[in-house]
Amino acid sequence: MEIILQSTITCPNCGHKKEETMPSTACQFFYKCEVCQTVLKPNAGDCCIYCSFGDVVCPPRQNELKIGE
Ligand SMILES: [Zn+2]
């Protein structure tokens, strides 16, 4: 399984979608929607905004899932 670095973020406020490249070694806690300027933060239990709002979970989590298989 390859680690995927592209994740499409969907803004929960306005529904805007944008593909972003995730950092492979760190989690991103904040993300500002370019349309409505809402600053997204991770949901409770999620380590980063990609896990909460992206269609692909973050690389560290992909690694965990891979190890857990
Ligand atoms: Zn938005």
Side-chain angles (χ1 to χ4, degrees):
M1 185 181 129
E2 297 265 314
I3 298 293
I4 302 161
L5 293 179
Q6 257 71 42
S7 184
T8 302
I9 301 265
T10 303
C11 173
N13 189 50
C14 71
H16 179 69
K17 288 186 169 73
K18 177 127 194 264
E19 188 179 78
E20 297 286 350
T21 301
M22 297 183 277
S24 58
T25 54
C27 290
Q28 189 173 334
F29 295 101
F30 301 105
Y31 178 82
K32 192 176 188 184
C33 173
E34 63 182 6
V35 173
C36 65
Q37 307 295 307
T38 297
V39 177
L40 309 182
K41 292 176 199 159
N43 293 325
D46 283 337
C47 59
C48 73
I49 48 105
Y50 292 109
C51 294
S52 294
F53 305 106
D55 63 349
V56 179
V57 299
C58 68
R61 200 133 167 202
Q62 288 178 47
N63 267 321
E64 278 174 29
L65 291 172
K66 201 163 64 171
I67 293 164
E69 271 170 11

